[in-house]
Amino acid sequence: MILKALDTLHISSVSSSNLLAGQTFELDDHFGRQLIERGLAVEVVSHEPAPVVTRKAGSTHRTKVT
């Protein structure tokens, strides 16, 4: 699920630094829905550009951060 942060967030599985309001990122559906329910993020509609793909050092998981 691709989300856009509505406030400053820190999600270590996404990025080692804080995500700022307006930044897009990818997170699994379960935790994405929790952020949406808490009013911290909104789901990005498909016509918006996808975030840039980055990898944390040593990570085998794909993460997306802009």
Side-chain angles (χ1 to χ4, degrees), residues 4-56:
K4 183 182 287 187
L6 297 177
D7 200 354
T8 301
L9 301 170
H10 181 82
I11 305 171
S12 60
S13 64
V14 174
S15 175
S16 59
S17 58
N18 287 343
L19 297 166
L20 302 176
Q23 283 186 294
T24 57
F25 58 97
E26 185 174 26
L27 196 61
D28 67 68
D29 290 348
H30 173 75
F31 290 113
R33 281 190 294 276
Q34 287 183 349
L35 289 177
I36 292 169
E37 289 172 7
R38 294 172 62 189
L40 298 172
V42 293
E43 188 169 7
V44 174
V45 289
S46 61
H47 67 274
E48 291 188 26
V52 176
V53 176
T54 61
R55 291 183 186 260
K56 289 176 57 176

